Amino acid sequence: MKTKIIIIFLSIATLVSCSTTRNLPEGETLYTGISEMSFVDEKENASTPIGEEAIAEITAALDCPPNASIAGSSKYRTLPFGLWWYNNFVNSKSKIGKWFFKTFATTPVLLSTVNPTLRAQVATNRLQNFGYFNGKVTEEVIYNKKNPKKAHVNYTITLGKPYTYDSIEYRYFSHRADSLIRSTRHECKLIKGEQFSVPNLTAERERLNNLLRNNGYYYYQTGYISYSADTINNPGHVSLRVEPRQGLPAYVRKPLYMGRTTLRITKSNTSQDYTGNNKPDTITFRNLTYIYYGNKPPVKAGAILRNVQLRPGKLYSQDNQALTLQQLSSMNIFSSLNFSFTPRGGNTASDTLDMSITAQLDKPYDFSFELNATSKSNSQIGPGSKITLARNNIFRGGETLKFSLLGSYEWQTDDEVRGRKSVINSWEIGGNVSLTFPRLFMPFIQRKYLRYPSSTSFSIYGNQLNRSGFFKMVHVGGEASYTIKPKRTTTHTITPFRLTYDMLQRTTAKFDSIISTNRSIANSFRDQFIPAMQYSVTYDNTSTTHRNKTWWENSVTSSGNLVSLGFCAFGKNWNDKDKNIFGNPYAQFLKFTTEIRNLFRINSRNHIATRFMAGVITSYGNSTTAPYTEQFYVGGANSLRAFTVRSLGPGSYHPADATRYSYLDETGTMKFEANIEYRTKLFRNLQGALLVDAGNIWLIDKDENRPGGEFNLKDFADQIALNTGFGIRYDLDFLVLRLDIGIALHYPYDTGKSGYYNIPSFNKGYAWHFAIGYPF
């Protein structure tokens, strides 16, 4: 053992003592980063948003990370292990030496490759893009006194006073185009008196192009809009003129109207038929010419027309074209869609465009499989999985029939429970069948207001939960819901009807003794109906080009209120606790949850992901306690990753292993949870993550049998469970394999150990989780 330690120590010492410049190419210098980047007059000349954007652009142009950079920094470095391996093995002829070089060595970043002079010139040009026409960037290379083969760079940025617009004039546009521009001047990206900015010029050109193309000018392009600027007559200011490029053809300057639509559906890219019949059939439905192969159309013509937003006789609009593509794609029928537009009769003098859509059918079945496994330091271990099979276009109208099956199993693997192994065996199995229609069955909402895909869904589901030694429970139900998308980033989900039924199938004497002395637990487990309504609104910009992505969902659920109003109409009191439907009591509660997820992009290799979730549920009227299936819990692969599911809370309460409450699920009526991950790309498809999770659950009302479980603002900080950890993820493009290890830092209950770090021992404060997909 001592010999191995000595060998390892000598190997490290050899690497550390190795020069990082010994094997540089002849005449080259090792670049060691930027020691200083100073702005001469930043405070007075870069205090505007455009100035701040200019600073960011200049910094990006000059930044160049050296070897061993910390998180892509150009200034801060760690030990250059990769360079040591490079200099030791770059000339190695042995197989093991070549393996070390290929595996661990990093190529030196050379000063000639960085080229500070060129970077300074590029940065100077970028200054002019933001109105700093008198700005300048200079560089200074400083060689290491001890080793002249090393050098760092200093940059000095002199901004100068930025130029501003003193006039902006739109001219030479047609009367109709000019009217459109004038009517939307409040959306203009160029404002008199503001700082000159090339990015704003580009944004205004894009705005004008989109404006014209959304109002019939199909052939317009951004390059057809030009700028001319005068900076001489009034020094320090820009006189700007916006005008169409000279010599544009007449058909570019003319608005065009939509004509007929032709749809051709094939099974392959070569337009071969899929039934052995090479002769296509053609039908005409309203303004649609429908060409297909086979005995009958694979998709109903009406279902296609519902999603075509380019109507005959209406002006062409690129937004409506994009919306048509999105809605047809959302039907989950086609693997590819191609649009083409031709002037009527092939004559550019025509004011009518005919549209042709070529669609390739996708495979009718989708299959997905999710798997996760959890191991806790208390020897609880178990896997979970979910299998989903979907049949698309089942009724030839874009409908989707989906079957899901899920299950999980957890058992105790040590001898600490009654002296026997595998005593605490818990499992859950469930299924779901849903049918989704790509349209709304809402007569009071007109189709013209639904610019984005909306749907109606019906589902039935059920699951069975077994907690060995305590109970077996079944949860079945069904619901109807509507998904409405008025904007690209906003989705409303309305569930006007959801009826579920919870029933205890079997209990043990031990469980019966618990609920006989704890009224709140008994009420949460009683057989009951849950007639609920739900509304949720989701903001999601993850499919946009925003640098930072946000997903935010707020949801409110109401149960039993309409039923209670019905009982009140027939003479029952609102607060009566004995109201039943179908011979069983029903739950009455109000539940609110909010969850927000953010993904912040540092650079192409590094991201920070955050998640915040909070919820509360309160019971009244016909109920004193919220149903067990509606209560909150924490822990698991997507929550607090140092803890197993339902193993924390409420509050500072924690049942001792020797009590009759041990191994009973820990749930509550309030929840707070926060997660943060630093994600970085290691190499190829392998990613790493550093994580921190915090949270807990509480009770709104005090429960004498669970002391410390009620929410108390004074004890809030101490009752937040905290863990850190790390993970590795392998991205296969179509799925992500994830292994996370959570390490507990603070338990929200008394462990017998003082101080914030109250983990009795490291071996009892960690858990690992294997799962598919990111946690949030």
Side-chain angles (χ1 to χ4, degrees):
M1 182 67 180
K2 290 182 179 180
T3 303
K4 290 182 178 179
I5 294 175
I6 292 172
I7 292 174
I8 293 172
F9 177 79
L10 290 175
S11 299
I12 295 174
T14 300
L15 283 175
V16 171
S17 63
C18 178
S19 169
T20 58
T21 59
R22 176 161 52 91
N23 285 312
L24 289 180
E26 187 67 28
E28 294 288 358
T29 303
L30 180 68
Y31 167 76
T32 58
I34 299 173
S35 61
E36 187 176 358
M37 191 184 297
S38 59
F39 292 84
V40 173
D41 48 2
E42 178 182 1
K43 187 173 182 180
E44 60 267 30
N45 291 326
S47 58
T48 64
I50 294 177
E52 293 173 358
E53 186 179 356
I55 297 298
E57 288 286 328
I58 299 307
T59 303
L62 298 177
D63 267 339
C64 183
N67 292 101
S69 167
I70 298 177
S73 170
S74 295
K75 188 173 183 179
Y76 300 104
R77 299 191 301 156
T78 184
L79 294 176
F81 293 104
L83 284 178
W84 294 337
W85 289 104
Y86 176 90
N87 281 277
N88 267 328
F89 296 102
V90 65
N91 297 318
S92 178
K93 303 299 182 182
S94 66
K95 288 185 178 181
I96 189 169
K98 290 180 178 180
W99 181 84
F100 275 119
F101 180 80
K102 182 179 179 181
T103 305
F104 301 109
T106 56
T107 304
V109 179
L110 304 175
L111 186 65
S112 61
T113 304
V114 175
N115 200 338
T117 302
L118 178 60
R119 287 181 179 271
Q121 183 58 51
V122 170
T124 299
N125 294 338
R126 292 195 180 182
L127 278 177
Q128 296 178 1
N129 288 343
F130 292 93
Y132 298 100
F133 294 119
N134 298 320
K136 188 175 182 180
V137 180
T138 58
E139 80 288 350
E140 181 185 8
V141 178
I142 302 174
Y143 291 90
N144 190 297
K145 293 180 180 180
K146 295 182 179 180
N147 185 353
K149 285 191 174 184
K150 293 182 180 180
H152 61 264
V153 184
N154 289 342
Y155 292 102
T156 302
I157 301 97
T158 304
L159 298 173
K161 189 173 181 180
Y163 279 55
T164 58
Y165 300 111
D166 66 350
S167 66
I168 302 171
E169 181 185 4
Y170 293 80
R171 60 181 190 174
Y172 304 142
F173 288 93
S174 67
H175 177 73
R176 185 175 182 277
D178 185 66
S179 297
L180 288 171
I181 294 171
R182 289 179 181 277
S183 66
T184 58
R185 284 296 293 270
H186 62 284
E187 301 175 3
C188 182
K189 307 299 181 182
L190 308 173
I191 301 174
K192 182 179 178 181
E194 276 199 357
Q195 185 172 334
F196 176 88
S197 166
V198 169
N200 281 354
L201 293 180
T202 303
E204 177 64 6
R205 181 182 276 133
E206 287 286 346
R207 185 188 76 85
L208 293 177
N209 181 69
N210 292 338
L211 174 66
L212 295 173
R213 282 181 57 82
N214 282 326
N215 285 274
Y217 295 92
Y218 169 76
Y219 291 104
Y220 231 93
Q221 300 177 23
T222 53
Y224 292 166
I225 299 169
S226 63
Y227 295 105
S228 58
D230 181 1
T231 60
I232 298 175
N233 285 335
N234 190 1
H237 298 81
V238 178
S239 297
L240 187 70
R241 292 179 290 276
V242 188
E243 55 194 30
R245 199 179 74 189
Q246 294 183 359
L248 293 179
Y251 63 85
V252 173
R253 296 180 278 111
K254 178 175 60 178
L256 301 177
Y257 296 84
M258 295 305 303
R260 292 195 58 81
T261 297
T262 300
L263 172 68
R264 179 186 292 270
I265 296 184
T266 66
K267 188 179 181 181
S268 67
N269 289 324
T270 56
S271 300
Q272 296 294 320
D273 81 284
Y274 43 88
T275 62
N277 177 15
N278 287 319
K279 295 182 179 180
D281 282 334
T282 303
I283 62 173
T284 300
F285 183 79
R286 298 178 186 170
N287 62 299
L288 176 68
T289 301
Y290 191 169
I291 303 172
Y292 64 94
Y293 297 86
N295 297 323
K296 61 182 179 180
V299 188
K300 295 177 182 177
I304 297 293
L305 280 181
R306 272 196 302 269
N307 294 293
V308 175
Q309 300 298 319
L310 294 163
R311 313 290 184 187
K314 301 293 184 181
L315 285 169
Y316 166 82
S317 165
Q318 71 171 6
D319 281 356
N320 284 342
Q321 178 186 340
L323 190 57
T324 299
L325 174 62
Q326 181 180 358
Q327 291 192 337
L328 289 176
S329 299
S330 70
M331 296 175 72
N332 296 321
I333 299 174
F334 307 113
S335 61
S336 67
L337 288 159
N338 294 306
F339 289 73
S340 62
F341 298 86
T342 55
R344 178 70 55 86
N347 183 5
T348 56
S350 173
D351 66 351
T352 302
L353 280 177
D354 290 329
M355 177 173 62
S356 178
I357 305 174
T358 301
Q360 178 186 341
L361 282 175
D362 201 356
K363 295 178 181 179
Y365 291 96
D366 286 334
F367 177 80
S368 65
F369 175 71
E370 299 177 15
L371 175 68
N372 66 77
T374 298
S375 176
K376 185 70 171 66
S377 55
N378 63 4
S379 300
Q380 289 180 336
I381 188 171
S385 65
K386 181 180 180 180
I387 300 172
T388 301
L389 177 65
R391 173 62 166 90
N392 299 319
N393 197 35
I394 188 168
F395 302 129
R396 298 189 303 121
E399 304 86 358
T400 300
L401 181 63
K402 185 179 293 185
F403 301 88
S404 296
L405 182 66
L406 60 87
S408 65
Y409 190 78
E410 184 178 286
W411 65 93
Q412 189 86 3
T413 59
D414 62 9
D415 296 321
E416 296 178 359
V417 184
R418 298 181 185 174
R420 295 182 291 119
K421 290 186 177 181
S422 300
V423 174
I424 305 301
N425 296 326
S426 299
W427 52 263
E428 182 177 3
I429 187 171
N432 179 291
V433 180
S434 65
L435 179 61
T436 301
F437 298 85
R439 57 189 181 277
L440 290 181
F441 297 123
M442 281 186 175
F444 52 87
I445 295 183
Q446 299 184 33
R447 188 177 63 186
K448 66 181 180 180
Y449 298 120
L450 305 177
R451 291 185 54 81
Y452 292 90
S454 300
S455 62
T456 303
S457 179
F458 303 94
S459 64
I460 55 174
Y461 45 84
N463 73 329
Q464 191 173 52
L465 178 65
N466 182 76
R467 289 288 182 258
S468 180
F470 290 96
F471 66 87
K472 182 186 289 185
M473 185 178 192
V474 67
H475 173 77
V476 295
E479 67 178 41
S481 64
Y482 301 101
T483 301
I484 304 172
K485 196 175 178 69
K487 298 179 181 179
R488 184 181 180 183
T489 57
T490 304
T491 302
H492 301 273
T493 303
I494 303 170
T495 305
F497 171 80
R498 186 178 75 194
L499 182 62
T500 56
Y501 181 62
D502 291 346
M503 181 180 68
L504 274 173
Q505 295 177 296
R506 178 179 56 81
T507 62
T508 65
K510 183 177 183 179
F511 181 77
D512 291 339
S513 67
I514 294 174
I515 63 176
S516 66
T517 59
N518 193 315
R519 184 70 176 174
S520 62
I521 294 180
N523 286 334
S524 68
F525 279 95
R526 68 176 180 172
D527 295 350
Q528 61 186 320
F529 283 100
I530 308 175
M533 302 170 60
Q534 186 177 46
Y535 167 74
S536 64
V537 56
T538 305
Y539 173 82
D540 183 3
N541 72 350
T542 56
S543 62
T544 65
T545 57
H546 287 72
R547 179 183 178 90
N548 300 320
K549 311 294 186 181
T550 299
W551 181 93
W552 187 13
E553 181 177 83
N554 293 282
S555 177
V556 59
T557 305
S558 171
S559 174
N561 292 314
L562 287 180
V563 178
S564 289
L565 286 174
F567 275 105
C568 289
F570 289 93
K572 283 278 188 178
N573 189 288
W574 176 271
N575 293 316
D576 287 348
K577 306 292 184 183
D578 59 348
K579 300 187 288 293
N580 298 323
I581 53 176
F582 305 117
N584 284 277
Y586 62 88
Q588 194 170 0
F589 62 80
L590 189 64
K591 181 179 182 180
F592 173 77
T593 61
T594 182
E595 181 177 358
I596 183 169
R597 305 174 187 174
N598 288 287
L599 184 65
F600 302 97
R601 183 180 184 271
I602 301 174
N603 52 44
S604 60
R605 299 178 63 88
N606 300 280
H607 296 78
I608 293 177
T610 63
R611 172 179 175 266
F612 168 83
M613 191 272 178
V616 61
I617 181 171
T618 180
S619 301
Y620 50 88
N622 207 45
S623 299
T624 56
T625 305
Y628 168 79
T629 53
E630 295 288 342
Q631 293 190 31
F632 300 107
Y633 58 88
V634 291
N638 300 326
S639 180
L640 276 68
R641 281 162 280 188
F643 309 92
T644 52
V645 178
R646 300 182 177 93
S647 64
L648 284 174
S652 61
Y653 170 77
H654 186 69
D657 292 342
T659 68
R660 57 182 177 173
Y661 289 97
S662 62
Y663 304 108
L664 189 63
D665 288 345
E666 297 173 48
T667 60
T669 52
M670 290 183 65
K671 178 178 180 178
F672 170 85
E673 186 177 326
N675 316 82
I676 184 170
E677 285 190 351
Y678 168 68
R679 299 172 181 171
T680 183
K681 185 175 181 180
L682 300 177
F683 55 87
R684 296 185 180 177
N685 293 334
L686 189 65
Q687 303 172 10
L690 299 176
L691 58 94
V692 175
D693 306 316
N696 203 349
I697 54 172
W698 292 267
L699 301 174
I700 294 179
D701 300 316
K702 187 174 183 179
D703 184 349
E704 294 181 355
N705 293 290
R706 289 183 282 180
E710 69 275 9
F711 179 79
N712 189 328
L713 190 60
K714 180 182 67 175
D715 300 323
F716 177 77
D718 288 335
Q719 292 180 359
I720 292 290
L722 180 68
N723 71 254
T724 185
F726 58 91
I728 57 174
R729 292 86 189 270
Y730 192 76
D731 190 349
L732 297 174
D733 292 333
F734 59 93
L735 59 85
V736 175
L737 301 178
R738 170 167 59 97
L739 176 63
D740 288 340
I741 297 178
I743 303 170
L745 298 177
H746 178 70
Y747 284 152
Y749 51 85
D750 183 14
T751 64
K753 185 175 181 180
S754 61
Y756 187 79
Y757 181 79
N758 60 352
I759 313 304
S761 67
F762 180 82
N763 290 335
K764 293 187 177 182
Y766 74 90
W768 62 263
H769 307 272
F770 174 73
I772 292 178
Y774 291 105
F776 48 87

